Each structure stands twice: as structure tokens, then as C-alpha cells.
Amino acid sequence: MMKIEELTLEKYPVRFSSHKKKNFLLELDEVFQEEGYPVVMDEKRSFRGKTRNRMYAYEKTAKLYIAVPYDTPQRLFWYKSEYYPLDGNRSLNKSMLATYVPALVLYGLILLFILFVSPNMQDLVLKAAANLAVAAATIFLMWLLFHGIGNRKNANRNSSSIIAAVRFMKTLNNDQKRRIGFVFIDRCDQSCLGAKLLSAYFADKKKNPDIIWLDCVGVGDTIGIGYRTHGKRLASTIHAKKKQESVQLSEMGGDQCLRSVMSCFDKAVMISAGEIDAKGSLLVKDTQRSTDRVIDDKNIEKILALLQEAIPRK
């Protein structure tokens, strides 16, 4: 069977379209079924298309779920990328700037052409061709705003999280597998549709398990552990033996959960890697661009060590 690194980085490095995500999940099913895990599909269709979550768990006995955003982000047409996985408000502000400024510039150019250039063009053939180009640019602008274009390189965000989760799963014995489930979440952008679908699923099952989110764990000299109010116990347990290393613990309350998957769960913990910026926030650079090409295996090993601390005891 294909290694998870090959599956995520080579065969399906882009998981943006519905077709690619569906095919990726089918092969991921085989990885977990080979280890004895049952497969649970949870899907919902909306105006944005189908949201596909995939769960691998013994639901009656699972106490902890490792949650992974498996889709890949849209391309940013901007000179840099700044993502704050433990601060949803800052991430929202940075992504809005990077998303809407290029769109507004394109809109401005279209408007200038319509108002000042097109009326003064005398050659009818040239004018028709130019108007067709403007119409195409307008359609592209609408597509960019409402759908986006898949980014081509996505090693850290979020192939690294998939790799870490699968490698952790393969370290578990049969008893641990019954206590730890894995769920791969779709549409983990600002809409958080996949996280909302998972929250509704647990509510329907009358479950409120511990959840550890893995988000951008492939690169960075600092590992951040964020937690909601009721996730502090689990976060502290994970952090307990790593206090002397570059592992930071922080509460995610208020605006820090804004437009974040963490807003959907009160017992959630998030683990991410990056660097600390001037304001003390964990910053992940170079995602949503062609520069997202690197995964540091040492980082993955550190994440696996943290996850070992979270294994539920009998």
C-alpha cells in the first residue's frame, strides 16, 4: 500500500476540488481499514457544494478524537502569507487583506476600462475583443471571490497534519485504537463547514468527546497548544512533560476563536507549529502559496511525542 507521505504529497498534493477530495478519502479509507478501524462517512450538501467528513473510530468506546483538516486552501495572489492557527481574529484580518485587495484592484481596472477606455475605442473589432476580455476578467473575479483557485503546493497546510495523524495511528495497539478515533474534516476555511458538521454529528449522538486538532504541524521552531475553556485539562496533560522545550500553552477565548474550527467545540485542543511574531502570537508563514513545500520530520516526531501524552488511560 502507498505510504501516507506519497499519498498526500505526490498523488493528491491538491485536495481542493470535490473530485480530488473524494478520491483521496477512498484511499485513506484503505489505510485505516488495514489497521482495523471502522469507517463512518458524514456528508452534507449546501450552496457551496458537498462537505465530506470521514471518521475512523470505534464510536462506542472512543474517548478522544484526533481531528485533521484534510482539504487544501485556495491560492493567495499576494506577496506574503500570514496564518495564525491559534488566533482566528488575526488570521481573518490577514486573509481578508490578501484575498480582497487583489480582487478590488482587478475590479478597479475593469471599471476604469468600462468608463474611460471602451467609449473612446474606434476600431469595432478591437473594441469587441476588449469587451470579451473584460467579461472574462469579470467572471474570473466572481470565481475568485466565491470559489477560489486551489493552491498547488500544500506540504505544511495541511498534508503535514494528515501525515502526523496517520503515523500516530500506526503506533497504537488494539486497545488504544478503541479509545482513540480519527476524523478528517472538510472545508476548514473561514466558514468552518466541516467543523460545524462534526459538531452537529456529535450532538446528534449525544457525545462530547475530547478533540485534538492538528493544524500546520510540519514547520516551525515553536509548537503551540491552544485550548478552549473545557479543554484546559487535556492541554495541560499534553504540555506537562514538555515545559522545558519550545512548546507554548495558550487559551483560545473570545476573538481568538473567531471563524476558527475551535469555535465549534468547548473541549477542543489545537496543536500547531510555527514561529512567535512580535506580538507573541504563533505565526505560520508561506501557506496558500507555491512556497509551501517543506515538512520537517523532526517536527512530526515532536507532535507524535505530544500525542502520546494524550492517550486516554483505562
Side-chain angles (χ1 to χ4, degrees):
M1 180 176 290
M2 186 178 296
K3 292 183 177 180
I4 191 62
E5 291 83 0
E6 295 174 350
L7 184 64
T8 55
L9 299 175
E10 298 176 19
K11 189 169 185 179
Y12 295 106
V14 180
R15 301 173 294 279
F16 190 75
S17 69
S18 179
H19 178 70
K20 288 288 181 64
K21 287 189 281 191
K22 178 181 177 181
N23 288 342
F24 170 76
L25 288 175
L26 290 174
E27 298 210 31
L28 191 64
D29 288 347
E30 296 180 11
V31 173
F32 277 85
Q33 286 175 324
E34 187 180 34
E35 296 291 328
Y37 269 100
V39 179
V40 180
M41 293 182 287
D42 189 21
E43 301 179 353
K44 183 178 180 180
R45 187 175 294 278
S46 68
F47 73 96
R48 288 189 60 188
K50 182 174 285 189
T51 300
R52 291 186 175 90
N53 289 351
R54 194 71 106 241
M55 184 181 296
Y56 308 99
Y58 295 93
E59 294 189 83
K60 291 184 178 180
T61 56
K63 298 179 179 179
L64 168 68
Y65 285 83
I66 308 299
V68 180
Y70 75 87
D71 60 340
T72 52
Q74 69 179 41
R75 178 75 160 89
L76 283 184
F77 296 93
W78 195 240
Y79 69 100
K80 65 178 180 179
S81 167
E82 294 177 292
Y83 176 52
Y84 296 87
L86 305 186
D87 192 335
N89 188 48
R90 289 194 70 186
S91 274
L92 177 62
N93 293 336
K94 294 295 183 180
S95 65
M96 286 182 66
L97 182 70
T99 299
Y100 291 108
V101 169
L104 288 173
V105 170
L106 179 58
Y107 174 76
L109 292 174
I110 293 172
L111 191 62
L112 287 173
F113 177 85
I114 293 173
L115 293 177
F116 299 107
V117 179
S118 182
N120 296 319
M121 296 181 71
Q122 303 300 321
D123 189 320
L124 294 180
V125 175
L126 181 61
K127 185 174 183 178
N131 286 335
L132 285 174
V134 168
T138 303
I139 293 172
F140 173 74
L141 175 62
M142 295 176 64
W143 178 266
L144 189 66
L145 289 174
F146 290 99
H147 185 271
I149 297 173
N151 193 48
R152 294 182 62 186
K153 300 294 181 181
N154 306 283
N156 191 26
R157 188 177 176 188
N158 249 309
S159 296
S160 64
S161 300
I162 298 172
I163 292 169
V166 171
R167 285 173 59 175
F168 175 61
M169 180 270 293
K170 288 181 177 291
T171 68
L172 303 177
N173 60 39
N174 289 335
D175 182 63
Q176 291 169 337
K177 287 176 182 176
R178 292 190 172 275
R179 287 179 276 136
I180 300 177
F182 295 80
V183 57
F184 291 79
I185 310 299
D186 194 7
R187 297 187 184 276
C188 289
D189 51 18
Q190 295 171 10
S191 66
C192 303
L193 292 178
K196 292 174 182 176
L197 183 60
L198 178 62
S199 178
Y201 180 87
F202 283 145
D204 183 62
K205 298 291 184 179
K206 295 181 172 56
K207 296 184 65 174
N208 188 23
D210 289 323
I211 299 175
I212 298 177
W213 287 86
L214 301 181
D215 190 359
C216 297
V217 297
V219 180
D221 54 13
T222 300
I223 293 176
I225 303 174
Y227 62 90
R228 294 294 306 277
T229 303
H230 297 294
K232 185 175 182 179
R233 176 195 58 79
L234 177 59
S236 298
T237 299
I238 296 171
H239 183 244
K241 294 185 179 180
K242 306 295 177 181
K243 290 182 179 179
Q244 303 304 316
E245 300 179 14
S246 298
V247 181
Q248 295 196 359
L249 195 63
S250 60
E251 183 175 0
M252 295 178 66
D255 288 348
Q256 291 176 319
C257 285
L258 183 67
R259 297 292 184 92
S260 164
V261 296
M262 292 286 282
S263 65
C264 302
F265 307 93
D266 60 0
K267 290 177 66 177
V269 171
M270 178 174 284
I271 300 177
S272 300
E275 61 184 66
I276 302 301
D277 74 350
K279 294 184 178 181
S281 296
L282 187 75
L283 168 63
V284 178
K285 294 182 177 180
D286 296 328
T287 68
Q288 295 187 261
R289 292 165 50 83
S290 60
T291 48
D292 188 2
R293 298 169 178 262
V294 179
I295 293 178
D296 186 345
D297 197 61
K298 292 181 180 179
N299 270 55
I300 302 297
E301 292 299 323
K302 291 178 182 178
I303 299 302
L304 297 184
L306 291 174
L307 293 176
Q308 287 292 330
E309 300 298 325
I311 295 177
R313 310 308 176 197
K314 292 183 179 180

